[in-house]
Amino acid sequence: KQEVTQIPAALSVPEGENLVLNCSFTDSAIYNLQWFRQDPGKGLTSLLLIQSSQREQTSGRLNASLDKSSGRSTLYIAASQPGDSATYLCAVKGNTPLVFGKGTRLSVIA
Amino acid sequence: GAGVSQTPSNKVTEKGKYVELRCDPISGHTALYWYRQSLGQGPEFLIYFQGTGAADDSGLPNDRFFAVRPEGSVSTLKIQRTERGDSAVYLCASSLTSGGADEQFFGPGTRLTVL
């Protein structure tokens, strides 16, 4: 059974810092991995999707990497801003629908 | 519509009542998914449809939960004899197909509170 773990559970950083969020998964037989953002009381916003054949994806200040063989992904956020404060969720898709981690709650302090 | 929509956005009900939650997927998307997110947790899969049929309902917690998608578009998640433990945010997503590589797009969710 696929399990997804996100570390750390919560993170607080000063504005302007670069930061890395980690995601690990137990079954490397995946089609893709997605990173989502969730604001309090809101739904999920897809940030980046990495297909299993890809190593990384970039969108603006965000960069996500995927190492399928080791079951790891990282989300790198450059020059963090208070508006980046949210919960970030990692999810993998194998032969079942998406399996999510519990998320990392990020606070960026001005 | 432009994205996945869900109604109602909030639902408060009493223990033992019946509720229906609705999901309108992106037009043309054949696959539709239901997830449930409890406080402080990631979403957990409930059921998904390919077209009108439920392709995988292994995530439904018990027989009080049922979902339909009669015309292959709108879906309704039905919960009978609600319990306080059913309180959660119910998320719907759709994708072009159920193919492994297809991206899922999520709606804003319905927050269900069972008193």
Side-chain angles (χ1 to χ4, degrees):
Chain A
K1 177 186 171 186
Q2 179 74 270
E3 293 182 2
V4 179
T5 302
Q6 291 188 246
I7 294 174
L11 181 64
S12 183
V13 300
E15 181 178 7
E17 269 202 10
N18 303 323
L19 58 101
V20 175
L21 307 182
N22 295 290
C23 171
S24 61
F25 47 96
T26 54
D27 185 350
S28 62
I30 64 170
Y31 290 106
N32 59 51
L33 181 146
Q34 274 183 271
W35 283 93
F36 294 89
R37 170 184 172 137
Q38 187 171 37
D39 292 289
K42 304 293 185 183
L44 305 180
T45 300
S46 181
L47 297 173
L48 290 163
L49 179 146
I50 311 176
Q51 301 292 355
S52 61
S53 58
Q54 298 174 321
R55 296 284 293 189
E56 64 179 326
Q57 282 285 341
T58 298
S59 176
R61 295 182 293 110
L62 305 180
N63 176 277
S65 68
L66 174 63
D67 184 341
K68 200 174 78 158
S69 61
S70 69
R72 295 175 190 271
S73 176
T74 61
L75 178 67
Y76 175 83
I77 303 177
S80 58
Q81 302 171 357
D84 295 331
S85 298
T87 296
Y88 291 80
L89 292 157
C90 163
V92 296
K93 188 170 190 312
N95 287 322
T96 57
L98 290 173
V99 178
F100 285 82
K102 292 184 178 182
T104 293
R105 191 170 65 254
L106 173 66
S107 296
V108 181
I109 312 301
Chain B
V4 179
S5 61
Q6 293 186 245
T7 54
S9 56
N10 281 283
K11 176 72 177 177
V12 180
T13 191
E14 294 180 343
K15 181 174 178 293
K17 299 290 188 183
Y18 168 83
V19 297
E20 289 189 352
L21 312 179
R22 176 187 167 108
C23 172
D24 272 277
I26 293 172
S27 178
H29 280 195
T30 64
L32 184 148
Y33 305 80
W34 284 100
Y35 295 84
R36 177 168 74 170
Q37 186 176 24
S38 300
L39 195 62
Q41 304 293 314
E44 294 181 329
F45 166 71
L46 295 176
I47 183 171
Y48 95 89
F49 292 86
Q50 178 57 49
T52 60
D56 183 350
D57 65 358
S58 62
L60 294 177
N62 52 59
D63 62 6
R64 296 186 298 105
F65 288 75
F66 188 71
V68 296
R69 194 186 185 200
E71 297 178 358
S73 178
V74 170
S75 176
T76 305
L77 179 65
K78 308 179 181 196
I79 311 175
Q80 298 177 324
R81 304 183 304 280
T82 51
E83 299 177 357
R84 292 193 179 89
D86 299 335
S87 296
V89 175
Y90 290 80
L91 294 164
C92 176
S94 70
S95 62
L96 192 59
T97 74
S98 58
D102 282 1
E103 183 174 1
Q104 294 182 26
F105 297 86
F106 282 78
T110 293
R111 181 175 299 277
L112 175 66
T113 303
V114 182
L115 301 176

Short mmCIF file of all heavy atoms in Angstrom, two decimals, chain A residues 14-76:
data_model
loop_
_atom_site.label_atom_id
_atom_site.label_comp_id
_atom_site.label_asym_id
_atom_site.label_seq_id
_atom_site.Cartn_x
_atom_site.Cartn_y
_atom_site.Cartn_z
N PRO A 14 11.63 33.49 7.77
CA PRO A 14 11.51 34.92 7.49
C PRO A 14 11.40 35.14 5.99
O PRO A 14 11.92 34.36 5.17
CB PRO A 14 12.80 35.50 8.06
CG PRO A 14 13.76 34.37 8.05
CD PRO A 14 12.98 33.12 8.24
N GLU A 15 10.75 36.21 5.63
CA GLU A 15 10.58 36.57 4.23
C GLU A 15 11.93 36.65 3.52
O GLU A 15 12.92 37.15 4.07
CB GLU A 15 9.87 37.92 4.14
CG GLU A 15 9.59 38.42 2.74
CD GLU A 15 8.84 39.74 2.74
OE1 GLU A 15 8.67 40.33 3.84
OE2 GLU A 15 8.42 40.18 1.66
N GLY A 16 11.95 36.16 2.28
CA GLY A 16 13.17 36.24 1.48
C GLY A 16 14.01 34.98 1.49
O GLY A 16 14.87 34.81 0.62
N GLU A 17 13.75 34.10 2.45
CA GLU A 17 14.54 32.87 2.51
C GLU A 17 14.15 31.89 1.41
O GLU A 17 12.99 31.84 0.99
CB GLU A 17 14.35 32.17 3.86
CG GLU A 17 15.35 32.60 4.89
CD GLU A 17 15.52 31.57 6.00
OE1 GLU A 17 15.01 30.44 5.88
OE2 GLU A 17 16.18 31.91 6.98
N ASN A 18 15.13 31.11 0.97
CA ASN A 18 14.87 29.97 0.10
C ASN A 18 14.57 28.77 0.99
O ASN A 18 15.18 28.62 2.06
CB ASN A 18 16.07 29.66 -0.77
CG ASN A 18 16.48 30.85 -1.62
OD1 ASN A 18 15.63 31.60 -2.09
ND2 ASN A 18 17.78 31.03 -1.79
N LEU A 19 13.65 27.89 0.60
CA LEU A 19 13.30 26.77 1.45
C LEU A 19 12.98 25.52 0.62
O LEU A 19 12.66 25.62 -0.57
CB LEU A 19 12.12 27.13 2.37
CG LEU A 19 10.85 27.56 1.68
CD1 LEU A 19 9.87 26.40 1.64
CD2 LEU A 19 10.20 28.75 2.38
N VAL A 20 13.06 24.39 1.31
CA VAL A 20 12.83 23.10 0.67
C VAL A 20 11.82 22.30 1.49
O VAL A 20 11.99 22.16 2.71
CB VAL A 20 14.14 22.30 0.54
CG1 VAL A 20 13.86 20.90 0.00
CG2 VAL A 20 15.12 23.03 -0.37
N LEU A 21 10.82 21.81 0.82
CA LEU A 21 9.85 20.90 1.44
C LEU A 21 10.09 19.50 0.88
O LEU A 21 10.37 19.34 -0.31
CB LEU A 21 8.42 21.34 1.11
CG LEU A 21 8.07 22.80 1.43
CD1 LEU A 21 6.62 23.08 1.09
CD2 LEU A 21 8.38 23.14 2.87
N ASN A 22 9.98 18.51 1.76
CA ASN A 22 10.31 17.15 1.38
C ASN A 22 9.08 16.24 1.35
O ASN A 22 8.17 16.38 2.16
CB ASN A 22 11.32 16.57 2.37
CG ASN A 22 12.62 17.30 2.33
OD1 ASN A 22 13.36 17.21 1.37
ND2 ASN A 22 12.90 18.06 3.39
N CYS A 23 9.11 15.30 0.41
CA CYS A 23 8.05 14.32 0.26
C CYS A 23 8.69 12.98 -0.05
O CYS A 23 9.59 12.91 -0.91
CB CYS A 23 7.11 14.74 -0.87
SG CYS A 23 5.88 13.52 -1.36
N SER A 24 8.27 11.93 0.65
CA SER A 24 8.78 10.59 0.33
C SER A 24 7.59 9.64 0.16
O SER A 24 6.54 9.84 0.78
CB SER A 24 9.73 10.09 1.40
OG SER A 24 9.07 9.99 2.65
N PHE A 25 7.79 8.62 -0.68
CA PHE A 25 6.73 7.66 -0.93
C PHE A 25 7.33 6.26 -0.97
O PHE A 25 8.51 6.08 -1.31
CB PHE A 25 5.97 7.99 -2.22
CG PHE A 25 6.82 8.30 -3.42
CD1 PHE A 25 7.13 7.32 -4.34
CD2 PHE A 25 7.31 9.59 -3.62
CE1 PHE A 25 7.91 7.61 -5.45
CE2 PHE A 25 8.10 9.89 -4.72
CZ PHE A 25 8.41 8.89 -5.63
N THR A 26 6.52 5.27 -0.62
CA THR A 26 7.06 3.93 -0.39
C THR A 26 7.07 3.06 -1.65
O THR A 26 7.89 2.16 -1.76
CB THR A 26 6.24 3.22 0.70
OG1 THR A 26 4.85 3.23 0.34
CG2 THR A 26 6.43 3.90 2.05
N ASP A 27 6.17 3.30 -2.58
CA ASP A 27 6.08 2.48 -3.79
C ASP A 27 6.51 3.33 -4.99
O ASP A 27 5.83 4.32 -5.32
CB ASP A 27 4.65 1.97 -3.97
CG ASP A 27 4.51 1.00 -5.14
OD1 ASP A 27 5.47 0.85 -5.94
OD2 ASP A 27 3.44 0.39 -5.26
N SER A 28 7.60 2.96 -5.63
CA SER A 28 8.14 3.78 -6.71
C SER A 28 7.40 3.59 -8.04
O SER A 28 7.69 4.28 -9.01
CB SER A 28 9.62 3.49 -6.90
OG SER A 28 9.80 2.13 -7.27
N ALA A 29 6.44 2.67 -8.08
CA ALA A 29 5.68 2.43 -9.31
C ALA A 29 4.58 3.49 -9.45
O ALA A 29 3.41 3.22 -9.16
CB ALA A 29 5.07 1.03 -9.30
N ILE A 30 4.97 4.69 -9.84
CA ILE A 30 4.02 5.79 -9.94
C ILE A 30 3.99 6.32 -11.38
O ILE A 30 4.95 6.16 -12.13
CB ILE A 30 4.35 6.95 -8.97
CG1 ILE A 30 5.70 7.58 -9.32
CG2 ILE A 30 4.35 6.45 -7.53
CD1 ILE A 30 5.98 8.87 -8.57
N TYR A 31 2.87 6.93 -11.73
CA TYR A 31 2.76 7.61 -13.02
C TYR A 31 3.23 9.06 -12.91
O TYR A 31 3.86 9.59 -13.81
CB TYR A 31 1.32 7.59 -13.51
CG TYR A 31 0.83 6.23 -13.94
CD1 TYR A 31 -0.06 5.52 -13.15
CD2 TYR A 31 1.26 5.67 -15.14
CE1 TYR A 31 -0.51 4.27 -13.54
CE2 TYR A 31 0.81 4.42 -15.53
CZ TYR A 31 -0.07 3.72 -14.73
OH TYR A 31 -0.51 2.50 -15.11
N ASN A 32 2.86 9.71 -11.83
CA ASN A 32 3.26 11.10 -11.64
C ASN A 32 3.16 11.50 -10.19
O ASN A 32 2.63 10.75 -9.35
CB ASN A 32 2.41 12.04 -12.53
CG ASN A 32 0.92 11.96 -12.26
OD1 ASN A 32 0.49 12.06 -11.11
ND2 ASN A 32 0.14 11.81 -13.31
N LEU A 33 3.68 12.67 -9.91
CA LEU A 33 3.64 13.25 -8.57
C LEU A 33 3.22 14.70 -8.72
O LEU A 33 3.68 15.40 -9.62
CB LEU A 33 5.02 13.15 -7.90
CG LEU A 33 5.15 13.70 -6.47
CD1 LEU A 33 6.15 12.86 -5.68
CD2 LEU A 33 5.54 15.15 -6.45
N GLN A 34 2.29 15.12 -7.86
CA GLN A 34 1.82 16.50 -7.90
C GLN A 34 2.08 17.19 -6.58
O GLN A 34 1.96 16.57 -5.50
CB GLN A 34 0.30 16.54 -8.15
CG GLN A 34 -0.09 16.50 -9.60
CD GLN A 34 -1.60 16.63 -9.81
OE1 GLN A 34 -2.33 15.65 -9.81
NE2 GLN A 34 -2.06 17.86 -10.00
N TRP A 35 2.41 18.47 -6.64
CA TRP A 35 2.46 19.34 -5.48
C TRP A 35 1.27 20.29 -5.56
O TRP A 35 1.00 20.89 -6.61
CB TRP A 35 3.76 20.13 -5.44
CG TRP A 35 4.94 19.34 -4.99
CD1 TRP A 35 5.84 18.66 -5.75
CD2 TRP A 35 5.35 19.16 -3.63
NE1 TRP A 35 6.79 18.06 -4.97
CE2 TRP A 35 6.52 18.35 -3.65
CE3 TRP A 35 4.87 19.59 -2.40
CZ2 TRP A 35 7.20 17.97 -2.50
CZ3 TRP A 35 5.54 19.21 -1.25
CH2 TRP A 35 6.69 18.42 -1.30
N PHE A 36 0.57 20.41 -4.41
CA PHE A 36 -0.59 21.28 -4.31
C PHE A 36 -0.37 22.30 -3.21
O PHE A 36 0.36 22.06 -2.25
CB PHE A 36 -1.86 20.48 -3.93
CG PHE A 36 -2.33 19.51 -4.96
CD1 PHE A 36 -1.85 18.20 -4.97
CD2 PHE A 36 -3.27 19.88 -5.90
CE1 PHE A 36 -2.31 17.28 -5.92
CE2 PHE A 36 -3.74 18.97 -6.85
CZ PHE A 36 -3.24 17.67 -6.85
N ARG A 37 -1.07 23.40 -3.35
CA ARG A 37 -1.15 24.40 -2.29
C ARG A 37 -2.59 24.44 -1.79
O ARG A 37 -3.54 24.37 -2.59
CB ARG A 37 -0.75 25.76 -2.85
CG ARG A 37 -1.02 26.91 -1.92
CD ARG A 37 -0.71 28.24 -2.53
NE ARG A 37 -1.17 29.29 -1.65
CZ ARG A 37 -0.47 30.39 -1.37
NH1 ARG A 37 0.71 30.59 -1.95
NH2 ARG A 37 -0.95 31.30 -0.55
N GLN A 38 -2.74 24.55 -0.45
CA GLN A 38 -4.08 24.67 0.13
C GLN A 38 -4.08 25.81 1.14
O GLN A 38 -3.36 25.75 2.14
CB GLN A 38 -4.51 23.36 0.78
CG GLN A 38 -5.96 23.38 1.26
CD GLN A 38 -6.44 22.01 1.71
OE1 GLN A 38 -5.69 21.24 2.31
NE2 GLN A 38 -7.71 21.70 1.45
N ASP A 39 -4.89 26.81 0.88
CA ASP A 39 -5.07 27.90 1.84
C ASP A 39 -6.16 27.50 2.82
O ASP A 39 -7.03 26.67 2.50
CB ASP A 39 -5.44 29.18 1.10
CG ASP A 39 -4.29 29.69 0.26
OD1 ASP A 39 -3.31 30.16 0.87
OD2 ASP A 39 -4.34 29.58 -0.98
N PRO A 40 -6.14 28.07 4.03
CA PRO A 40 -7.10 27.66 5.07
C PRO A 40 -8.54 27.72 4.60
O PRO A 40 -8.98 28.75 4.05
CB PRO A 40 -6.82 28.66 6.20
CG PRO A 40 -5.40 29.05 6.01
CD PRO A 40 -5.18 29.07 4.52
N GLY A 41 -9.28 26.64 4.76
CA GLY A 41 -10.69 26.59 4.39
C GLY A 41 -10.94 26.55 2.90
O GLY A 41 -12.09 26.71 2.47
N LYS A 42 -9.90 26.35 2.12
CA LYS A 42 -10.04 26.36 0.66
C LYS A 42 -9.73 24.99 0.06
O LYS A 42 -9.26 24.08 0.75
CB LYS A 42 -9.10 27.40 0.04
CG LYS A 42 -9.29 28.80 0.57
CD LYS A 42 -10.63 29.38 0.19
CE LYS A 42 -10.75 30.83 0.63
NZ LYS A 42 -12.08 31.40 0.31
N GLY A 43 -9.96 24.88 -1.25
CA GLY A 43 -9.64 23.65 -1.96
C GLY A 43 -8.17 23.59 -2.34
O GLY A 43 -7.35 24.34 -1.82
N LEU A 44 -7.83 22.68 -3.24
CA LEU A 44 -6.45 22.44 -3.64
C LEU A 44 -6.13 23.16 -4.94
O LEU A 44 -6.89 23.08 -5.90
CB LEU A 44 -6.21 20.94 -3.83
CG LEU A 44 -6.54 20.03 -2.65
CD1 LEU A 44 -6.25 18.58 -3.00
CD2 LEU A 44 -5.75 20.43 -1.42
N THR A 45 -4.98 23.83 -4.96
CA THR A 45 -4.48 24.45 -6.17
C THR A 45 -3.25 23.68 -6.61
O THR A 45 -2.29 23.56 -5.86
CB THR A 45 -4.11 25.92 -5.93
OG1 THR A 45 -5.26 26.63 -5.48
CG2 THR A 45 -3.57 26.55 -7.20
N SER A 46 -3.29 23.15 -7.83
CA SER A 46 -2.14 22.40 -8.33
C SER A 46 -1.00 23.36 -8.66
O SER A 46 -1.20 24.37 -9.34
CB SER A 46 -2.54 21.62 -9.58
OG SER A 46 -1.45 20.88 -10.07
N LEU A 47 0.18 23.05 -8.15
CA LEU A 47 1.36 23.89 -8.40
C LEU A 47 2.21 23.31 -9.52
O LEU A 47 2.57 24.01 -10.47
CB LEU A 47 2.19 24.00 -7.13
CG LEU A 47 1.51 24.67 -5.94
CD1 LEU A 47 2.39 24.55 -4.70
CD2 LEU A 47 1.19 26.13 -6.23
N LEU A 48 2.57 22.05 -9.37
CA LEU A 48 3.46 21.41 -10.33
C LEU A 48 3.08 19.94 -10.42
O LEU A 48 2.74 19.32 -9.42
CB LEU A 48 4.92 21.53 -9.91
CG LEU A 48 5.54 22.93 -9.99
CD1 LEU A 48 6.82 22.99 -9.16
CD2 LEU A 48 5.81 23.31 -11.43
N LEU A 49 3.17 19.39 -11.62
CA LEU A 49 2.98 17.97 -11.83
C LEU A 49 4.22 17.45 -12.53
O LEU A 49 4.65 18.02 -13.54
CB LEU A 49 1.73 17.71 -12.68
CG LEU A 49 1.41 16.24 -13.00
CD1 LEU A 49 -0.07 15.99 -13.05
CD2 LEU A 49 2.04 15.80 -14.31
N ILE A 50 4.82 16.39 -11.98
CA ILE A 50 6.00 15.78 -12.57
C ILE A 50 5.63 14.38 -13.03
O ILE A 50 5.23 13.55 -12.21
CB ILE A 50 7.17 15.69 -11.58
CG1 ILE A 50 7.40 17.01 -10.88
CG2 ILE A 50 8.44 15.26 -12.30
CD1 ILE A 50 8.49 16.93 -9.81
N GLN A 51 5.77 14.11 -14.32
CA GLN A 51 5.53 12.75 -14.82
C GLN A 51 6.68 11.86 -14.37
O GLN A 51 7.79 12.34 -14.10
CB GLN A 51 5.39 12.76 -16.33
CG GLN A 51 4.27 13.64 -16.86
CD GLN A 51 2.88 13.12 -16.52
OE1 GLN A 51 2.72 12.05 -15.95
NE2 GLN A 51 1.85 13.89 -16.85
N SER A 52 6.44 10.56 -14.35
CA SER A 52 7.44 9.63 -13.82
C SER A 52 8.73 9.64 -14.64
O SER A 52 9.80 9.31 -14.13
CB SER A 52 6.87 8.21 -13.77
OG SER A 52 6.53 7.78 -15.07
N SER A 53 8.63 10.05 -15.89
CA SER A 53 9.82 10.08 -16.76
C SER A 53 10.63 11.36 -16.61
O SER A 53 11.71 11.48 -17.18
CB SER A 53 9.38 9.94 -18.22
OG SER A 53 8.49 10.98 -18.57
N GLN A 54 10.09 12.31 -15.86
CA GLN A 54 10.75 13.60 -15.70
C GLN A 54 11.52 13.65 -14.39
O GLN A 54 11.23 12.91 -13.45
CB GLN A 54 9.71 14.73 -15.74
CG GLN A 54 8.97 14.81 -17.06
CD GLN A 54 7.86 15.84 -17.04
OE1 GLN A 54 7.15 15.96 -16.03
NE2 GLN A 54 7.69 16.54 -18.13
N ARG A 55 12.49 14.56 -14.33
CA ARG A 55 13.29 14.72 -13.11
C ARG A 55 12.87 15.98 -12.34
O ARG A 55 13.06 16.04 -11.12
CB ARG A 55 14.76 14.83 -13.48
CG ARG A 55 15.32 13.60 -14.13
CD ARG A 55 15.57 12.51 -13.15
NE ARG A 55 16.63 12.82 -12.20
CZ ARG A 55 17.15 11.96 -11.36
NH1 ARG A 55 16.70 10.73 -11.32
NH2 ARG A 55 18.09 12.31 -10.52
N GLU A 56 12.39 16.98 -13.07
CA GLU A 56 12.00 18.20 -12.38
C GLU A 56 11.05 19.02 -13.23
O GLU A 56 10.94 18.84 -14.45
CB GLU A 56 13.21 19.04 -11.98
CG GLU A 56 14.02 19.60 -13.13
CD GLU A 56 15.19 20.44 -12.61
OE1 GLU A 56 15.04 21.10 -11.56
OE2 GLU A 56 16.23 20.44 -13.24
N GLN A 57 10.36 19.94 -12.54
CA GLN A 57 9.48 20.90 -13.19
C GLN A 57 9.66 22.24 -12.48
O GLN A 57 9.87 22.28 -11.26
CB GLN A 57 8.02 20.47 -13.10
CG GLN A 57 7.61 19.40 -14.06
CD GLN A 57 7.44 19.90 -15.48
OE1 GLN A 57 7.30 21.10 -15.72
NE2 GLN A 57 7.47 18.99 -16.43
N THR A 58 9.53 23.30 -13.27
CA THR A 58 9.71 24.65 -12.70
C THR A 58 8.53 25.51 -13.09
O THR A 58 8.02 25.43 -14.21
CB THR A 58 11.01 25.28 -13.22
OG1 THR A 58 12.11 24.48 -12.77
CG2 THR A 58 11.18 26.69 -12.69
N SER A 59 8.12 26.36 -12.12
CA SER A 59 7.10 27.36 -12.40
C SER A 59 7.40 28.57 -11.55
O SER A 59 7.23 28.54 -10.33
CB SER A 59 5.70 26.81 -12.07
OG SER A 59 4.72 27.82 -12.26
N GLY A 60 7.88 29.62 -12.18
CA GLY A 60 8.22 30.83 -11.43
C GLY A 60 9.27 30.57 -10.37
O GLY A 60 10.35 30.07 -10.67
N ARG A 61 8.93 30.87 -9.13
CA ARG A 61 9.87 30.68 -8.02
C ARG A 61 9.85 29.25 -7.47
O ARG A 61 10.54 28.95 -6.50
CB ARG A 61 9.53 31.66 -6.89
CG ARG A 61 9.73 33.13 -7.26
CD ARG A 61 9.44 34.05 -6.08
NE ARG A 61 8.02 34.03 -5.71
CZ ARG A 61 7.54 33.48 -4.60
NH1 ARG A 61 8.35 32.88 -3.73
NH2 ARG A 61 6.25 33.53 -4.34
N LEU A 62 9.06 28.39 -8.07
CA LEU A 62 8.92 27.03 -7.58
C LEU A 62 9.67 26.05 -8.48
O LEU A 62 9.61 26.17 -9.71
CB LEU A 62 7.44 26.61 -7.53
CG LEU A 62 6.49 27.48 -6.75
CD1 LEU A 62 5.08 26.91 -6.82
CD2 LEU A 62 6.93 27.62 -5.31
N ASN A 63 10.34 25.10 -7.84
CA ASN A 63 11.00 24.03 -8.58
C ASN A 63 10.76 22.73 -7.83
O ASN A 63 11.04 22.65 -6.64
CB ASN A 63 12.50 24.29 -8.70
CG ASN A 63 13.25 23.16 -9.39
OD1 ASN A 63 13.59 22.17 -8.75
ND2 ASN A 63 13.46 23.27 -10.68
N ALA A 64 10.24 21.74 -8.54
CA ALA A 64 10.01 20.44 -7.93
C ALA A 64 10.88 19.40 -8.61
O ALA A 64 10.99 19.39 -9.84
CB ALA A 64 8.55 20.04 -8.02
N SER A 65 11.48 18.54 -7.81
CA SER A 65 12.30 17.47 -8.35
C SER A 65 11.68 16.13 -7.98
O SER A 65 10.94 16.02 -7.01
CB SER A 65 13.71 17.55 -7.80
OG SER A 65 13.71 17.26 -6.41
N LEU A 66 12.02 15.12 -8.75
CA LEU A 66 11.52 13.77 -8.50
C LEU A 66 12.65 12.77 -8.69
O LEU A 66 13.30 12.74 -9.74
CB LEU A 66 10.37 13.43 -9.45
CG LEU A 66 9.85 12.00 -9.41
CD1 LEU A 66 9.25 11.67 -8.05
CD2 LEU A 66 8.83 11.76 -10.52
N ASP A 67 12.89 11.95 -7.67
CA ASP A 67 13.79 10.82 -7.76
C ASP A 67 12.94 9.58 -7.50
O ASP A 67 12.75 9.18 -6.36
CB ASP A 67 14.93 10.94 -6.76
CG ASP A 67 15.94 9.82 -6.91
OD1 ASP A 67 15.61 8.78 -7.51
OD2 ASP A 67 17.07 9.96 -6.42
N LYS A 68 12.43 9.01 -8.58
CA LYS A 68 11.46 7.92 -8.43
C LYS A 68 12.08 6.70 -7.78
O LYS A 68 11.46 6.04 -6.93
CB LYS A 68 10.89 7.55 -9.80
CG LYS A 68 9.58 6.80 -9.75
CD LYS A 68 8.99 6.59 -11.12
CE LYS A 68 9.68 5.46 -11.84
NZ LYS A 68 8.85 4.89 -12.92
N SER A 69 13.32 6.40 -8.14
CA SER A 69 13.93 5.17 -7.64
C SER A 69 14.12 5.21 -6.12
O SER A 69 14.04 4.17 -5.46
CB SER A 69 15.27 4.93 -8.33
OG SER A 69 16.15 6.01 -8.08
N SER A 70 14.37 6.39 -5.58
CA SER A 70 14.55 6.49 -4.14
C SER A 70 13.27 6.90 -3.43
O SER A 70 13.25 7.01 -2.20
CB SER A 70 15.65 7.49 -3.80
OG SER A 70 15.26 8.81 -4.12
N GLY A 71 12.21 7.16 -4.20
CA GLY A 71 10.93 7.52 -3.60
C GLY A 71 10.92 8.88 -2.93
O GLY A 71 10.36 9.03 -1.83
N ARG A 72 11.54 9.86 -3.58
CA ARG A 72 11.62 11.18 -2.97
C ARG A 72 11.31 12.29 -3.97
O ARG A 72 11.62 12.19 -5.16
CB ARG A 72 13.03 11.43 -2.43
CG ARG A 72 13.43 10.53 -1.29
CD ARG A 72 14.90 10.80 -0.92
NE ARG A 72 15.39 9.80 0.02
CZ ARG A 72 15.31 9.89 1.33
NH1 ARG A 72 14.74 10.95 1.87
NH2 ARG A 72 15.77 8.95 2.12
N SER A 73 10.72 13.36 -3.43
CA SER A 73 10.51 14.58 -4.19
C SER A 73 10.77 15.76 -3.28
O SER A 73 10.55 15.67 -2.06
CB SER A 73 9.09 14.66 -4.74
OG SER A 73 8.85 15.89 -5.40
N THR A 74 11.25 16.85 -3.85
CA THR A 74 11.41 18.08 -3.09
C THR A 74 10.73 19.22 -3.83
O THR A 74 10.69 19.24 -5.07
CB THR A 74 12.89 18.44 -2.87
OG1 THR A 74 13.50 18.64 -4.15
CG2 THR A 74 13.62 17.35 -2.11
N LEU A 75 10.20 20.15 -3.06
CA LEU A 75 9.65 21.39 -3.60
C LEU A 75 10.51 22.52 -3.06
O LEU A 75 10.58 22.73 -1.86
CB LEU A 75 8.19 21.60 -3.20
CG LEU A 75 7.56 22.90 -3.71
CD1 LEU A 75 7.44 22.88 -5.24
CD2 LEU A 75 6.19 23.12 -3.08
N TYR A 76 11.16 23.22 -3.98
CA TYR A 76 12.04 24.33 -3.64
C TYR A 76 11.30 25.62 -3.91
O TYR A 76 10.76 25.81 -5.02
CB TYR A 76 13.32 24.23 -4.48
CG TYR A 76 14.28 25.37 -4.33
CD1 TYR A 76 15.19 25.41 -3.28
CD2 TYR A 76 14.30 26.41 -5.26
CE1 TYR A 76 16.09 26.45 -3.15
CE2 TYR A 76 15.20 27.45 -5.14
CZ TYR A 76 16.10 27.47 -4.09
OH TYR A 76 16.99 28.51 -3.97
#
